[in-house]
Amino acid sequence: MAGTLQDIADAAGVSIATVSLVLNGKEGISAETRQKVMQAAEALNYRPKKQQSLMSANSRNTIQFLKIAMHGHTVNRDHNVFISDYIDGMFREAQRQGYKLEIANIKGESIDYIIDSLLSRKPEGAILLGTEFSQNDVIALKSIDFCPIVVLDTYFDYLDLNFVDMNNSDAVYKIIEYLVSCGFRKIGFINSNVQTRNFYLRKQAFIGSMQVLGQKVDENYIVDVDSTFNGAYKDMMVHLSRGIKLPECYFCANDIMSYGCIKAFKENGIRIPEDLSIVGFDNLPMSASMDPPLTTIDVSKQKMGHFAVTLLDELIQSPERKNSVKILVGSDLIIRKSVAPKI
């Protein structure tokens, strides 16, 4: 017989309210308490009533989306809209496929904790937000053999795992090609000092695209800033105070960093786009209402969420282990007023 919430609370030595918060994936619970509750729930074979009825009526049950912030420099409230689009795409496709989508927030925990969390819940399959995963984090995921997983928003072409990510190389090439067509030759890159795979891929794509298009990469025009708004603003203020050499235009690794840098430029009397053009990446809603509106890359986040569920369903339904699948989603360049063509 399955245990009740009270049974779990008694076994874990916590309140029923704490048990409810843990089982519903809410934040504000310590890792130690969360682990106690999950272990007690697993030992008592606890399943929510709604989940029990779903399991008896339909072998297709729950898939889980883990919104993971390893350090919070890129997965934070500034990008909630971005992640909401992922969830919207996942929810629509999960509903169409007959799955219940369960969302859990994990912040500041180790990769071992994340794997243990999945093991304790044992969903039919899981989608993990990999934005802040390191290479070692992703390698550790290869130990998961109790359910199929898809890693969203990061990409390693040489690892035998399933990924859905934006095509950074294609997107960045569109940016550089556009800037060259506008007559710019002194093109710079604002990189993040936070180590994420997508930022790394965008820097490599910037260098590669410049070379393919016959443009010189000047290291003086590549600067690092933090990936948050306030961090990017403060770091760019420091760069400007030290007299950095400015290019004719900057490609910035994401929109949030662009916003912070633009604030710093304006406070130093640098006009956008009259003195300096700038292009972002992500097409966050605020980009259209910036002064001036920001030229940026738009990736269909809903489509990425859709593909993640589609791929996960295929893995769940397959009676045999399938070869890993890597999906890269294309993008569109949204041209606005933050770029002033020279020709």
Side-chain angles (χ1 to χ4, degrees):
M1 183 176 177
T4 65
L5 291 180
Q6 185 63 63
D7 293 332
I8 297 170
D10 291 341
V14 298
S15 68
I16 291 179
T18 298
V19 172
S20 178
L21 289 172
V22 171
L23 295 180
N24 285 286
K26 302 299 184 182
E27 296 183 358
I29 307 297
S30 71
E32 182 181 1
T33 299
R34 190 181 298 275
Q35 186 174 18
K36 285 181 181 178
V37 171
M38 296 307 298
Q39 287 175 344
E42 180 66 21
L44 291 164
N45 195 30
Y46 171 79
R47 297 189 190 280
K49 290 181 180 179
K50 187 175 181 181
Q51 187 174 354
Q52 290 175 19
S53 63
L54 276 170
M55 288 188 68
S56 61
N58 190 340
S59 61
R60 287 184 163 192
N61 184 30
T62 300
I63 59 176
Q64 195 171 43
F65 170 58
L66 271 59
K67 177 187 171 185
I68 300 165
M70 303 299 286
H71 46 69
H73 283 275
T74 49
V75 180
N76 51 49
R77 65 181 182 179
D78 290 336
H79 280 87
N80 277 346
V81 173
F82 197 105
I83 296 169
S84 293
D85 284 344
Y86 283 150
I87 293 172
D88 188 47
M90 284 186 276
F91 177 79
R92 291 173 185 272
E93 182 60 14
Q95 190 175 49
R96 192 183 75 82
Q97 297 279 4
Y99 291 105
K100 174 187 173 184
L101 179 66
E102 181 181 89
I103 301 170
N105 292 295
I106 298 179
K107 184 177 181 180
E109 302 290 354
S110 69
I111 193 65
D112 290 338
Y113 174 88
I114 293 166
I115 294 171
D116 287 344
S117 175
L118 275 176
L119 180 59
S120 66
R121 300 302 288 267
K122 291 184 179 175
E124 280 208 64
I127 300 167
L128 280 62
L129 184 67
T131 312
E132 295 185 350
F133 280 167
S134 69
Q135 176 176 307
N136 287 336
D137 291 333
V138 176
I139 291 172
L141 297 176
K142 291 171 66 68
S143 67
I144 296 176
D145 58 4
F146 48 86
C147 74
I149 65 167
V150 173
V151 183
L152 179 67
D153 199 34
T154 195
Y155 175 77
F156 291 84
D157 55 1
Y158 47 83
L159 294 182
D160 186 21
L161 285 167
N162 304 291
F163 297 99
V164 176
D165 195 13
M166 61 203 73
N167 190 329
N168 286 286
S169 297
D170 173 74
V172 174
Y173 183 85
K174 287 179 180 178
I175 293 170
I176 305 305
E177 184 180 44
Y178 169 65
L179 292 175
V180 171
S181 73
C182 289
F184 296 112
R185 296 299 177 264
K186 297 177 181 179
I187 302 172
F189 177 55
I190 300 176
N191 187 36
S192 174
N193 55 24
V194 176
Q195 301 302 311
T196 73
R197 183 66 176 172
N198 279 333
F199 287 152
Y200 169 80
L201 292 174
R202 286 170 203 172
K203 182 176 182 180
Q204 296 306 305
F206 167 75
I207 295 170
S209 297
M210 290 283 284
Q211 292 172 344
V212 167
L213 292 166
Q215 304 302 306
K216 179 183 176 182
V217 177
D218 189 333
E219 292 293 333
N220 293 312
Y221 296 148
I222 298 178
V223 295
D224 290 351
V225 300
D226 186 65
S227 59
T228 64
F229 173 82
N230 288 329
Y233 164 73
K234 291 176 181 177
D235 287 346
M236 184 53 72
M237 288 292 284
V238 171
H239 286 309
L240 293 171
S241 70
R242 293 174 177 171
I244 63 166
K245 183 180 178 182
L246 291 177
E248 299 169 321
C249 59
Y250 272 124
F251 158 47
C252 193
N254 74 12
D255 284 1
I256 295 294
M257 292 158 56
S258 296
Y259 304 159
C261 290
I262 287 173
K263 180 182 178 184
F265 291 140
K266 287 182 175 181
E267 290 184 7
N268 281 269
I270 300 167
R271 300 171 300 167
I272 310 294
E274 293 86 353
D275 302 322
L276 178 68
S277 292
I278 190 164
V279 178
F281 196 113
D282 283 339
N283 195 29
L284 297 180
M286 185 177 168
S287 295
S289 57
M290 287 284 291
D291 180 24
L294 183 66
T295 296
T296 185
I297 282 289
D298 181 71
V299 179
S300 177
K301 281 78 73 177
Q302 291 189 15
K303 185 177 289 186
M304 288 174 63
H306 166 92
F307 281 141
V309 174
T310 301
L311 175 55
L312 189 62
D313 174 62
E314 182 179 336
L315 296 168
I316 291 170
Q317 299 306 317
S318 175
E320 300 176 352
R321 184 187 183 280
K322 299 181 72 69
N323 292 332
S324 61
V325 176
K326 299 172 174 63
I327 299 174
L328 297 180
V329 177
S331 58
D332 295 311
L333 179 65
I334 308 299
I335 298 174
R336 299 193 179 108
K337 300 294 185 180
S338 65
V339 174
K342 296 182 67 176
I343 56 175

